[in-house]
Amino acid sequence: LDVRSPGEFEGELGHIESAHLVPLDELRDRIEEIPDDRPVVVVCQSGKRSAMAAEIIRKAGHEQVANVSGGMIQWSRLGLPLQES
């Protein structure tokens, strides 16, 4: 789950393949889009927004939620696979 803005999602850092975009400011209104039958991994630019999003998701009753520490900046630094626009 990517909680950045659409511009960031399509921007320079790209995004993780198959990531579902739900910007943080829309998350509470779109919480039903988050699957509760499998683990959810949340990412943003640096890890701050995704940490907040992970807490929102946990409070909504999802038990298996993880935050990508360092966000897409760290993902890119590590040379992990990206889908670029």
Side-chain angles (χ1 to χ4, degrees):
L1 177 69
D2 196 315
V3 295
R4 297 177 294 162
S5 71
E8 291 171 305
F9 187 79
E10 297 297 337
E12 176 181 329
L13 286 175
H15 56 270
I16 298 169
E17 187 174 347
S18 301
H20 182 68
L21 177 64
V22 178
L24 180 60
D25 62 349
E26 298 175 14
L27 182 58
R28 283 186 174 89
D29 292 333
R30 296 176 59 188
I31 199 76
E32 73 282 348
E33 294 179 32
I34 311 305
D36 57 6
D37 61 341
R38 61 183 184 258
V40 177
V41 179
V42 188
V43 68
C44 67
Q45 195 88 349
S46 68
K48 293 178 184 175
R49 285 176 285 178
S50 55
M52 294 185 324
E55 187 60 26
I56 291 168
I57 295 166
R58 277 189 206 97
K59 286 182 178 178
H62 295 68
E63 295 179 10
Q64 297 180 324
V65 183
N67 176 34
V68 176
S69 181
M72 291 303 297
I73 293 170
Q74 183 66 8
W75 186 277
S76 179
R77 279 187 193 138
L78 293 172
L80 296 170
L82 291 170
Q83 182 169 339
E84 298 178 21
S85 301

